[in-house]
């Protein structure tokens, strides 16, 4: 892919961002407000109804939720990217992978805005500053690669099999419960926890939380696992997409 | 170029699997273009003519890279400005202004380059008044004008034009032909699909007549057009 299509991705991301908040009164402010409101709801539910013994629960929640929301939203939007851009694909030649990638990147931009919400919670809960916290972007980069790979696979599959779109919403629900977002991993039996630890999304959330909550740099194992899985997912996505793209024109 | 025609559309995974198991996944194929071979030199203007379904548009799409030929190769020595369907890349919710930049990027141009040409694009399309209105509310003529204006302002060596000017009014059509003639004079190459044989004769030196995916004739535009018209009239009876 040549550099000229990098500009195309930039323009597509701009379009996405413009359309997302067009005609809304608060505009970009929603990217900040939304996570805070979601966190408040979950906090009320899980502090009064189901109690977990977690230190600084608001921050624990918002860290997991920011990452999971990004994954959920970006892969879902990427899934429809080829289908929704079909009029274009029939008329102009462009590398087809720009569409899922642009969608993931535009979600990533709004997620970057949501980080301000995380910062606000950190200030309110008086988390002590550690220099290690500045590594926060590394798990997010892993996440970006992981979601891009997944997005490419989904966008390609959805062209041929519409079922994927229905199936995926169930899948993300299972994933949400299988990822410790509002509960601590200690709350599940050890044999289940062992499976959950294999979930790359959890590893990424774990890295992010250790940094933001405690300013601790987790062990090398988690870093390698998250990096490896993210790159593997990206490579798999690129390969599968490249294989599928040639037949798009027959289905769109 | 072969198209897969699915007997029944298998749009769902279940159907696909069931059919796969039953070995029922039959496809019939339709050959849109068969052993069509030609070369076009730099600066030449070539028309593709033929009745509906003869493979003209498929040919253009393969040349533009939108489709991959199932057999054979296409070699293109230059950049292409596809005018296959004007305004195909427009997002209805964005304004005309935003769409100029998006469309430019789709054709491979930087924001800065489009900025330089922005004024002349809008002026050519005669849309100064409406440029900040969402494209959703444009008329089909306005969309065609903006699309044509963008496509001819980008620097491309080859113009691929597919029956796109039918929506514009007489004045705009004349303006478009004027522009195409000017671009041809600059040494650009033109591939033109039209049912308007008069226009073909005026604009193109050479014409290729396709019928059911085969080349019927390839030669000077006037001769080929006349032969085609005679044949069409003969078929009517």
């Amino acid at each position: 892919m040549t550099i000229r299509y990098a500009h195309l991705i930039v323009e597509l991301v701009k379009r996405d961002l413009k359309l997302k908040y067009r005609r809304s009164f608060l505009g970009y402010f929603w990217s900040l407000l939304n996570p805070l409101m979601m966190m408040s709801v979950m906090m009320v539910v899980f502090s009064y109804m189901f109690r977990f013994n977690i230190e600084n629960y608001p921050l624990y929640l918002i860290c997991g939720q920011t990452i999971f929301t990004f994954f959920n939203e970006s892969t879902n939007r990427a899934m429809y990217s080829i289908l929704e851009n079909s009029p274009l694909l029939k008329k102009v030649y462009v590398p087809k992978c720009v569409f899922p990638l642009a969608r993931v990147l535009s979600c990533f931009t709004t997620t970057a805005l949501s980080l301000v919400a995380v910062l606000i919670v950190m200030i309110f809960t008086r988390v002590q500053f550690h220099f290690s916290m500045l590594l926060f972007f590394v798990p997010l980069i892993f996440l970006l690669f992981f979601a891009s790979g997944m997005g490419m696979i989904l966008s390609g599959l959805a062209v041929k099999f519409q079922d994927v779109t229905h199936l995926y919403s169930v899948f993300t629900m299972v994933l949400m419960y299988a990822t410790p977002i509002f509960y601590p991993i200690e709350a599940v039996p050890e044999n289940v926890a062992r499976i959950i630890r294999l979930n790359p999304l959890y590893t990424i959330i774990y890295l992010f939380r250790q940094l933001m909550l405690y300013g601790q740099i987790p062990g090398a194992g988690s870093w390698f696992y998250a990096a490896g899985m993210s790159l593997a997912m990206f490579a798999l996505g690129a390969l599968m997409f490249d294989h599928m793209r040639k037949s798009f024109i027959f289905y769109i | 170029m072969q198209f897969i025609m699915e007997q029944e559309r298998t749009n769902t995974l279940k159907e696909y699997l069931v059919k796969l198991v039953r070995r029922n996944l039959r496809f019939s194929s339709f050959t849109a273009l068969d052993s069509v071979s030609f070369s076009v030199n730099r600066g030449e203007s070539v028309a593709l003519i033929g009745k509906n379904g003869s493979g003209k548009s498929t040919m253009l799409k393969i040349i533009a890279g939108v489709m991959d030929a199932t057999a054979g190769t296409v070699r293109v020595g230059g950049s292409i400005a596809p005018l296959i369907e004007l305004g195909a890349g427009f997002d209805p919710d964005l304004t005309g202004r935003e769409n100029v930049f998006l469309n430019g990027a789709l054709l491979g141009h930087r924001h800065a380059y489009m900025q330089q040409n922005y004024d002349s694009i809008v002026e050519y399309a005669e849309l100064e008044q409406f440029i900040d209105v969402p494209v959703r509310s444009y008329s089909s003529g306005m969309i065609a004008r903006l699309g044509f204006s963008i496509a001819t302002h980008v620097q491309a060596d080859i113009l691929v034009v597919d029956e796109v000017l039918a929506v514009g009014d007489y004045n705009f059509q004349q303006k478009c032909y004027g522009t195409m003639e000017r671009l041809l004079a600059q040494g650009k190459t033109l591939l033109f699909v039209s049912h308007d044989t008069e226009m073909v004769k005026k604009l193109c030196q050479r014409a290729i007549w396709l019928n059911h995916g085969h080349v019927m004739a390839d030669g000077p535009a006037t001769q080929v057009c006349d032969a085609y018209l005679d044949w069409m009239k003969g078929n009517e009876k």
Side-chain angles (χ1 to χ4, degrees):
Chain A
M1 197 165 67
T2 50
I3 190 77
R4 60 188 252 176
Y5 291 110
H7 305 301
L8 175 57
I9 293 187
V10 172
E11 288 294 325
L12 289 170
V13 170
K14 273 198 223 160
R15 166 178 78 169
D16 259 17
L17 294 178
K18 270 178 200 156
L19 291 180
K20 187 167 183 184
Y21 294 118
R22 180 152 289 182
R23 275 185 285 177
S24 76
F25 188 64
L26 291 174
Y28 288 105
F29 201 56
W30 275 117
S31 290
L32 186 81
L33 213 56
N34 221 320
L36 285 175
M37 285 160 79
M38 299 273 274
M39 182 205 70
S40 313
V41 173
M42 280 169 101
M43 222 175 72
V44 170
V45 171
F46 292 109
S47 319
Y48 293 101
M49 285 156 65
F50 315 95
R51 293 196 68 115
F52 297 111
N53 197 11
I54 298 172
E55 172 195 345
N56 197 350
Y57 194 51
L59 187 57
Y60 183 89
L61 263 179
I62 203 166
C63 286
Q65 185 210 319
T66 304
I67 287 179
F68 187 81
T69 308
F70 164 74
F71 180 78
N72 188 16
E73 203 180 299
S74 63
T75 50
N76 259 302
R77 300 212 48 232
M79 181 161 67
Y80 291 99
S81 62
I82 299 290
L83 288 171
E84 285 173 5
N85 284 296
S86 61
L88 207 86
L89 289 169
K90 286 189 229 175
K91 306 299 178 320
V92 194
Y93 169 76
V94 275
K96 291 161 188 68
C97 62
V98 299
F99 297 106
L101 292 180
R103 291 257 165 115
V104 173
L105 278 170
S106 79
C107 286
F108 198 66
T109 318
T110 47
T111 301
L113 286 173
S114 310
L115 288 181
V116 179
V118 178
L119 189 68
I120 290 173
V121 175
M122 287 172 82
I123 292 168
F124 260 82
T125 55
R126 289 163 204 225
V127 177
Q128 222 197 330
F129 176 77
H130 298 273
F131 275 103
S132 51
M133 285 174 178
L134 298 177
L135 284 172
F136 75 97
F137 65 92
V138 184
L140 296 180
I141 299 290
F142 296 158
L143 182 65
L144 178 63
F145 276 91
F146 191 71
S148 301
M150 192 74 187
M152 283 193 279
I153 295 174
L154 289 168
S155 67
L157 285 177
V159 172
K160 205 167 176 185
F161 304 109
Q162 295 265 321
D163 309 57
V164 175
T165 56
H166 302 287
L167 216 63
Y168 191 62
S169 60
V170 180
F171 176 78
T172 47
M173 201 179 82
V174 172
L175 192 67
M176 192 189 82
Y177 288 112
T179 312
I181 296 168
F182 52 82
Y183 60 87
I185 193 155
E186 292 79 23
V188 295
E190 183 50 32
N191 49 350
V192 180
R194 226 172 280 145
I195 300 169
I196 288 178
R197 285 201 190 91
L198 292 176
N199 173 359
L201 209 55
Y202 172 64
T203 316
I204 292 171
I205 291 178
Y206 171 75
L207 291 174
F208 192 65
R209 271 184 189 150
Q210 290 300 93
L211 291 170
M212 300 317 252
L213 268 103
Y214 316 111
Q216 271 175 12
I217 300 179
S222 305
W223 292 98
F224 279 120
Y225 186 70
M229 289 303 271
S230 305
L231 284 178
M233 181 57 101
F234 187 77
L236 181 72
L239 276 174
M240 279 181 72
F241 191 84
D242 196 56
H243 180 75
M244 293 185 284
R245 74 184 160 86
K246 290 188 183 99
S247 61
F248 285 169
I249 194 82
F250 298 116
Y251 296 97
I252 51 179
Chain B
M1 178 70 206
Q2 272 197 343
F3 282 108
I4 306 164
M5 288 207 310
E6 291 161 274
Q7 290 291 30
E8 304 149 61
R9 271 191 81 88
T10 43
N11 236 338
T12 68
L13 192 66
K14 192 188 107 202
E15 282 173 37
Y16 187 83
L17 290 176
V18 167
K19 286 184 180 173
L20 198 71
V21 171
R22 290 191 190 151
R23 299 188 177 281
N24 211 352
L25 205 64
R26 260 185 308 219
F27 298 109
S28 71
S29 64
F30 169 77
T31 309
L33 289 169
D34 189 12
S35 17
V36 176
S37 184
F38 60 90
S39 64
V40 175
N41 294 322
R42 182 174 289 270
E44 220 178 348
S45 54
V46 180
L48 292 171
I49 55 173
K51 59 179 188 180
N52 289 337
S54 58
K56 309 179 294 285
S57 296
T58 306
M59 191 73 238
L60 287 195
K61 284 181 182 177
I62 292 172
I63 293 170
V66 177
M67 286 181 183
D68 289 315
T70 36
T73 50
V74 176
R75 281 183 49 208
V76 180
S79 56
I80 292 182
L83 282 82
I84 290 179
E85 189 178 296
L86 293 175
F90 288 164
D91 189 303
D93 290 322
L94 290 178
T95 65
R97 182 191 301 273
E98 290 161 340
N99 266 305
V100 169
F101 292 102
L102 181 62
N103 220 261
L106 283 167
L107 298 172
H109 285 281
R110 286 160 183 272
H111 197 89
Y113 177 86
M114 294 310 287
Q115 191 73 57
Q116 274 169 23
N117 288 280
Y118 176 76
D119 286 332
S120 88
I121 288 172
V122 176
E123 193 195 317
Y124 185 92
E126 300 164 20
L127 283 172
E128 291 91 341
Q129 233 184 311
F130 305 103
I131 202 68
D132 286 315
V133 171
V135 164
R136 181 163 19 92
S137 51
Y138 279 24
S139 72
S140 54
M142 286 156 86
I143 289 174
R145 280 183 346 235
L146 191 58
F148 186 84
S149 180
I150 295 169
T152 50
H153 275 84
V154 301
Q155 292 293 325
D157 307 317
I158 304 160
L159 285 166
V160 174
V161 183
D162 186 2
E163 194 79 272
V164 287
L165 304 175
V167 276
D169 59 20
Y170 179 78
N171 284 339
F172 191 71
Q173 280 185 13
Q174 292 308 311
K175 194 169 162 183
C176 290
Y177 291 121
T179 306
M180 286 201 270
E181 272 170 350
R182 182 173 53 80
L183 290 171
L184 280 172
Q186 286 170 14
K188 311 259 183 205
T189 310
L190 173 70
L191 288 169
F192 188 60
V193 163
S194 180
H195 289 288
D196 184 346
T197 43
E198 287 311 308
M199 221 62 243
V200 168
K201 284 182 197 171
K202 248 166 75 182
L203 210 56
C204 302
Q205 306 146 354
R206 181 177 152 197
I208 296 169
W209 168 15
L210 290 174
N211 191 33
H212 292 298
H214 294 274
V215 178
M216 294 284 277
D218 180 353
T222 333
Q223 280 174 29
V224 177
C225 282
D226 290 342
Y228 167 67
L229 285 176
D230 286 344
W231 181 83
M232 281 295 265
K233 278 172 194 151
N235 264 13
E236 249 169 22
K237 286 165 197 163

